[in-house]
Amino acid sequence: MLRGLCLRATVTAARSGAGIPLAQRVGAGIPLAQRAGAGVPLTQRAGAGVPLTQRAGAGIASNQRAWARISPGGRPGLRSLCSAGGSCWRCGAPPPEPPGFFCASCRALQPPDRRCDYFQLLGLPRRFRVSAEELGRCQRRLQRELHPDRFSRSAEAERRFSEQQSALVNEAYGTLLRPLSRGFYLLRLELPAEAEPEEGGSLPPDAEPAFLATVLRLNERLEEADSPEEMGRVAAEVEARLRELSEEVARAFEQRRPRDARPLLRQMRFWSSLGERVKERQLPR
Ligand code: ZN
């Protein structure tokens, strides 16, 4: 009921124009946790109820959390996660080339290499199009090599590194698996200086009317849907829009237009949250 009220408020505000910034109008019907978090540091935004990997910027925040766990006080940039780079902790040999996990000389497991981004870590090319099967294969292969169970009899340092490496691989996998978190992560890599502050910003002016109209129409259909068939149709429409957006995002990155990906990703974030609401409504009561 509350959502219905919010929606009607959204519709009214949007129709009257009312001098309300579009981002706020559109956001009015979205649960707080999923709204754009402009002005709030990324890592402090509320995300309760939203699967971690689907949260806006989840990759970046979790990446930083992962690194914070590994090196307290460190807040690395993404392009250069920087500095592992020292010699092998056991034999002093030069460090393996990223994303090498083991010393080439003595085979000791090394601490996470902070020069690696998530794509390098998993051994994947840095691009938006990622096959879930390939991603899964990379993650499983690395987890077999790095899993703490394999190091239960190893030196304390190596056990610790295996926990860190293993956790990092899971973070990377979770971030790159979902198109939304993968897209925002890639955006951060491509535009390290400007992505984060704007991630929660408003929609692009030229996309406003069509996007808003579709949003309002689907919101109304969702609120009024009274049969599983109608809910299914709304769900299919949301899925189709997400697929289209995903394709557009992929093209923007491939054609070296990362800035064009940002408004598309914001739209994806909205459709994702609407998709979640559809799923909630589809659950048997
Ligand atoms: Zn070594």
Side-chain angles (χ1 to χ4, degrees), residues 67 70 84 86-90 94-124 138-147 150-151 157-158 160-170 172:
W67 282 114
I70 290 161
S87 47
C88 169
W89 61 273
R90 188 154 76 188
E97 283 301 304
F101 293 95
F102 296 91
C103 171
S105 175
C106 76
R107 302 300 300 157
L109 179 61
Q110 301 298 303
D113 186 336
R114 306 182 68 181
R115 295 168 296 180
C116 289
D117 62 50
Y118 284 169
F119 292 95
Q120 290 173 297
L121 189 78
L122 294 173
L124 292 165
C138 293
Q139 187 245 11
R140 288 191 298 276
R141 175 177 57 77
L142 287 176
Q143 286 300 12
R144 276 196 299 275
E145 290 181 26
L146 302 170
H147 198 277
R150 286 199 58 197
F151 298 89
E158 213 168 14
R160 192 172 68 246
F161 297 150
S162 105
E163 282 169 15
Q164 293 171 348
Q165 295 277 25
S166 183
L168 201 57
V169 165
N170 282 342

Side-chain angles (χ1 to χ4, degrees), residues 42-231:
L42 192 63
T43 48
Q44 290 170 25
R45 278 180 219 165
V50 186
L52 181 67
T53 50
Q54 290 172 22
R55 273 181 229 160
I60 294 127
S62 58
N63 191 3
Q64 286 169 356
R65 279 198 301 277
W67 282 114
R69 279 201 301 275
I70 290 161
S71 61
R75 186 186 151 83
L78 282 177
R79 189 177 291 280
S80 173
L81 286 172
C82 187
S83 99
S87 47
C88 169
W89 61 273
R90 188 154 76 188
C91 76
E97 283 301 304
F101 293 95
F102 296 91
C103 171
S105 175
C106 76
R107 302 300 300 157
L109 179 61
Q110 301 298 303
D113 186 336
R114 306 182 68 181
R115 295 168 296 180
C116 289
D117 62 50
Y118 284 169
F119 292 95
Q120 290 173 297
L121 189 78
L122 294 173
L124 292 165
R126 184 200 282 187
R127 62 180 181 216
F128 183 75
R129 284 185 215 274
V130 169
S131 135
E133 290 76 24
E134 191 184 2
L135 189 62
R137 267 198 304 278
C138 293
Q139 187 245 11
R140 288 191 298 276
R141 175 177 57 77
L142 287 176
Q143 286 300 12
R144 276 196 299 275
E145 290 181 26
L146 302 170
H147 198 277
D149 287 353
R150 286 199 58 197
F151 298 89
S152 56
R153 293 162 187 268
S154 304
E156 193 271 332
E158 213 168 14
R159 290 204 306 274
R160 192 172 68 246
F161 297 150
S162 105
E163 282 169 15
Q164 293 171 348
Q165 295 277 25
S166 183
L168 201 57
V169 165
N170 282 342
E171 294 264 5
Y173 173 75
T175 301
L176 300 189
L177 181 63
R178 310 264 173 205
L180 186 59
S181 52
R182 180 168 69 240
F184 275 117
Y185 182 76
L186 192 52
L187 193 62
R188 258 308 283 283
L189 292 178
E190 297 291 323
L191 302 169
E194 58 185 89
E196 188 174 358
E198 291 184 34
E199 247 171 41
S202 59
L203 293 158
D206 56 351
E208 283 182 15
F211 175 57
L212 189 57
T214 317
V215 163
L216 293 175
R217 184 174 55 76
L218 266 188
N219 253 321
E220 280 174 13
R221 278 179 58 192
L222 180 61
E223 294 302 326
E224 289 163 9
D226 52 6
S227 69
E229 290 74 25
E230 174 62 6
M231 290 296 291

Side-chain angles (χ1 to χ4, degrees), residues 23-52:
Q24 287 171 27
R25 278 185 255 148
V26 170
I30 310 171
L32 181 66
Q34 292 165 26
R35 269 184 231 165
V40 184
L42 192 63
T43 48
Q44 290 170 25
R45 278 180 219 165
V50 186
L52 181 67

